[in-house]
Amino acid sequence: MVIAGLVLAAVLALGLVIGWWLPPSGRRPARAQRGGDTRRILLPFSGEALSTRALDAAIRLALAEGATLMPAYLATVPLALPLEAAMPRQAGLALPVLEAVEQRASRKGIPTDCRVSRGRTRRDALRRLVAEEDVDRIIVAARRNGDPGFTQDDIAWLLESAQAEVLVLRPGPDDHRMVTAKAVRGYF
Amino acid sequence: MDRPDRGRHKVFLGMAAGVGKTYAMLEEGHEYLEDGDDVVLGVLETHGREATAGRAVGLEILPRRTVHYRGSTLEEMDLPGILQRRPAVCLIDELAHTNAPGVEHGKRYEDVEDVLNAGIHVVSTMNVQHLESLNDLVTELTGVRVRETVPDAVLARADDVVVVDLTPEELLERLRAGRVYPQERIEAALNGFFTVENLVSLREVALRQVAEAVGAQRVTRVELGSRGRSMSGEKAASAVAERLLALVRPRPQDQRVVRRAWRSAQRLGAPLDVLWVQPTRDLGDEEDRGLRALRRLCALLGAELHVIESDDVTRTVKEFARERRTTYVLLGSPHVPRGLDRFRDALPVRLVRALEGIDVRIVADRALRDDPEEQETAW
């Protein structure tokens, strides 16, 4: 009886130590501790805005699949500049959008892992991005009437070249709704 | 004036054509003249500006020499003539100028070296976009690539650098009034290079670059124009002497720290360093991927990413901040302590103690802020 009591006390003490040792549960990104099997959803964009429909779709899928969202800005570097040159003007357009996407995803408990990729053209930047990043799904919105989505050629190239599943959103009536710098919460 | 082994070099630096660099150089020449020094104008580029040409009256102008090249006749500064004349002070306009083939040097700043080595003091002028290290940045900011560049070392070696400053609005007023370019070129200039955005960017670059590269104590800022106010060198330097440090780890959420730090740096007109104090162990795949992403982000922003291997974060940051003269440190929220880490202070607390006189800012995830009024309406 005494031994059983001692064992019970030891187990309780061990439980207390383990409980103290482990980090307290708190408000953390949903999958911050996951390993290398994480699904990744790539959401490329260029310019100063991102299709709201594309982001909504990416968030829905990321929630359903427990995936990490990877918004990626495609910077185009003029031929007059070295490919690695700093691009503060484009950075000024891209960063608020990346921040807004991250905030929106974070509110839904979706982890984000932002990327920037650069190339001589948007296609070149996209090519480098998909070559370097291991992703499971790529979401793009098709362009209509000069919207900042992806052209037919870009999409055809992506379908042919990317190793990941490509989700193309047809042009829709809501395409004028864009995620811009105005969507950032707080002062940025 | 005694002739030294090497002359002193003073450079009037401006953000763009028309701010008054050449005029300031001529003023300086007149001051030397009034002090009784032997001053000559080695070369003057008035670009047809009457006020500039008028201010040159009274100064001895050395004739240019003629150079024949592929059937054309070109006029260049007469370097042998200057060396033979041996004045105490020589005024040489437009340091970045490319000489015609066939003369002693390809570039005018190389001519200036010879003049300085002859013990002649030189007063010269240049625009900030001609500085070699800024060429790419200025091209990206303004869309205009400048072909004639001057190595940074030339400016760094100068004994005095004077920023000739003018607000963009005043420069545009001058331009519209025909005081910078002739009438037929004004519209093209206003539609091209001379926009408020370009000029604001260039002005920032000029002030920042000089404070950084030349040493703040030697910078004097001269404002010209009716509304301009002069500012002492010390004050001008302190206005641009901020330097930010973003402390990161190669994890996705720390990109937020870099983004916020860059925005703050932009507002302050300050340079940004990004530092990861890497623990002394091999990198995991996730860290490696995160580090590559950080490198690409920093490259886009023009921020410097430093990776220093050390197990003592506080000491490493302290040394780095002292070396780089950091004034702000930004870092992400500290991780929840585990194990023995519970017994010591969190990193921000240790940094606040260690980094005396440096602001420490913790970058939060604003999406987690309770703000019922801010919902999805912003989309």
Side-chain angles (χ1 to χ4, degrees), chain B residues 109 130-132 149-156:
Chain B
Y109 64 78
H130 292 290
L131 208 55
E132 202 167 74
T149 59
V150 175
D152 292 36
V154 172
L155 198 64

Side-chain angles (χ1 to χ4, degrees), chain A residues 48-134:
Chain A
E48 57 190 282
L50 165 69
S51 157
T52 303
R53 285 201 313 128
L55 177 59
D56 287 344
I59 283 179
R60 276 199 305 274
L61 280 168
L63 271 176
E65 297 176 357
T68 291
L69 186 59
M70 289 181 69
Y73 178 70
L74 307 174
T76 49
V77 185
L79 285 167
L81 290 176
L83 194 57
E84 293 307 314
M87 310 287 290
R89 193 185 58 78
Q90 286 190 57
L93 301 175
L95 262 56
V97 179
L98 289 172
E99 180 82 9
V101 171
E102 189 182 277
Q103 287 184 3
R104 175 106 189 259
S106 180
R107 287 202 291 278
K108 306 275 185 187
I110 300 166
T112 50
D113 193 0
C114 303
R115 292 287 184 271
V116 290
S117 178
R118 56 173 72 215
R120 294 300 179 190
T121 60
R122 185 168 67 163
R123 172 89 61 85
D124 186 29
L126 187 59
R127 182 182 61 75
R128 290 167 193 267
L129 180 68
V130 296
E132 285 170 10
E133 296 296 341
D134 184 16

